[in-house]
Amino acid sequence: MNIIFAGTPEFAATPLLALLEHHTVSAVYTQPDRKAGRGKRMTAPPVKQVALEHGIPVHQPTTLKTEVDTISALAPDVMVVVAYGMLLPQSILDIPKFGCINIHASLLPKWRGAAPIQRAIEAGDTMTGVSIMQMERGLDTGPVYTTLETPISDRDTSASLHDRLAQLGAAGIVDTLAMLATDPSLQPTPQDHSQSSYARKIEKSEAEIDWQSSAAEIDRKLRAFTPWPGSQTQHGSNRIRITEMRVAQTNSTAQPGTVIALSTDCVTVACGSGAVELLTLQRDGSRALPYREFRNGYSLSIGDRLS
């Protein structure tokens, strides 16, 4: 097939590489280069880097409304859209022979929106996946060609789940386009809109640990917000980032946020219900360390309060 690809982050680069093994990608649309990293250097999106490595023309417009003639001239069979970061107007959706097909990182209609991976972990879902969906004007409301599932373990983070879902999305879009090539009359299945839920965008402020929450909730949020925005707490005037924890097998009546036990390998902290064991910690300006090393340069005592 003659494909136009629209995507931006690493999650989109994986399916682009898979499509290049089977199809012609005549153009790539991606977000403009942006400043990134501590040095704030202008950095190309991962999808742009893949496209340039394969000699594919790259377009980085700030709006697609001016791209109708350019895309029409390419006469695409389909436009594959993955985490592009820009809404597609109807004038673009109508151009390709098979329309625009999206890879969404949830089992639609659950977790429509910007942060489906993080919200699935935060909510305690035990199963997620990807949906290969025909795009329409509504946000993630289009009918679905296929879904591929994967379980969420109690140690999964957004980073680990992201990588598995990217691979599933790549396999799903390749299979879907093969089915369409074989049977152009193939029709996707409409979503049950009454079962939809919304995955709102992650905010930086969500990194603050609320010790009034249960141990299970705090653990899920840490895993959902890894690698960004992370999880952090205050100990006096010091900010401490927590990069690994587990739910403790203990009950406590101490005030939430109280250090109730110290061992060689972890700090046990009371929560609104239950307790968690902090395994890897990081101070500002330092790297994350296992507690057995962290404690050599920083002192926590039983009865201290984290807030």
Side-chain angles (χ1 to χ4, degrees):
M1 285 190 179
N2 176 25
I3 296 172
I4 292 178
F5 189 90
T8 298
E10 195 66 41
F11 186 78
T14 301
L16 173 58
L17 284 167
L19 289 170
L20 287 169
E21 296 180 10
H22 303 273
H23 301 280
T24 299
V25 178
S26 54
V28 159
Y29 279 77
T30 189
Q31 289 282 306
D33 296 2
R34 302 198 190 285
K35 294 180 180 178
R38 290 187 176 181
K40 299 297 182 184
R41 298 178 59 182
M42 292 299 289
T43 303
V47 162
K48 179 181 179 179
Q49 296 175 31
V50 171
L52 293 178
E53 288 168 3
H54 290 78
I56 305 170
V58 175
H59 303 262
Q60 296 177 282
T62 55
T63 174
L64 285 176
K65 293 179 179 178
T66 59
E67 297 298 306
V68 173
D69 290 344
T70 301
I71 293 175
S72 296
L74 294 170
D77 292 310
V78 65
M79 188 168 182
V80 174
V81 183
V82 190
Y84 178 38
M86 191 181 297
L87 293 175
L88 273 61
Q90 192 65 49
S91 56
I92 297 293
L93 295 174
D94 292 339
I95 294 174
K97 176 181 176 182
F98 293 108
C100 298
I101 298 180
N102 175 242
I103 302 173
H104 186 75
S106 79
L107 299 174
L108 291 170
K110 195 166 188 180
W111 300 128
R112 297 170 176 171
I117 298 175
Q118 295 91 334
R119 297 305 179 195
I121 295 174
E122 182 187 12
D125 291 359
T126 57
M127 186 67 71
T128 187
V130 294
S131 300
I132 311 300
M133 176 194 69
Q134 188 77 53
M135 295 181 72
E136 56 183 30
R137 292 198 67 177
L139 179 64
D140 303 326
T141 58
V144 175
Y145 283 105
T146 189
T147 58
L148 291 86
E149 298 182 347
T150 185
I152 302 176
S153 79
D154 62 5
R155 300 321 310 155
D156 262 327
T157 64
S158 287
S160 64
L161 195 53
H162 166 283
D163 293 348
R164 286 211 306 283
L165 293 175
Q167 293 295 334
L168 284 180
I173 191 64
V174 168
D175 288 349
T176 299
L177 295 188
M179 288 189 293
L180 277 172
T182 302
D183 179 10
S185 66
L186 181 69
Q187 294 297 312
T189 302
Q191 296 184 38
D192 180 354
H193 301 302
S194 69
Q195 299 299 310
S196 69
S197 56
Y198 181 63
R200 62 184 171 85
K201 182 180 177 181
I202 304 296
E203 303 291 345
K204 189 175 182 180
S205 60
E206 294 183 78
E208 297 294 334
I209 296 174
D210 178 4
W211 293 106
Q212 300 291 332
S213 301
S214 72
E217 290 172 327
I218 291 172
D219 175 62
R220 290 201 303 267
K221 286 191 174 187
L222 179 139
R223 291 186 291 110
F225 302 153
T226 299
W228 192 89
S231 293
Q232 63 188 35
T233 188
Q234 286 292 132
H235 178 232
S237 60
N238 296 318
R239 182 171 62 183
I240 300 175
R241 290 173 62 88
I242 315 299
T243 59
E244 186 181 7
M245 70 168 59
R246 67 190 172 207
V247 175
Q249 301 301 312
T250 183
N251 292 317
S252 171
T253 58
Q255 288 295 310
T258 303
V259 175
I260 57 173
L262 297 169
S263 71
T264 303
D265 296 322
C266 68
V267 183
T268 305
V269 182
C271 305
S273 61
V276 292
E277 294 173 342
L278 312 185
L279 303 173
T280 307
L281 304 90
Q282 180 180 15
R283 292 181 64 188
D284 284 344
S286 302
R287 61 189 176 92
L289 295 171
Y291 178 65
R292 73 177 70 89
E293 298 177 31
F294 180 85
R295 66 176 185 161
N296 293 332
Y298 192 87
S299 179
L300 285 164
S301 302
I302 292 176
D304 284 357
R305 289 289 298 275
L306 305 180
S307 59

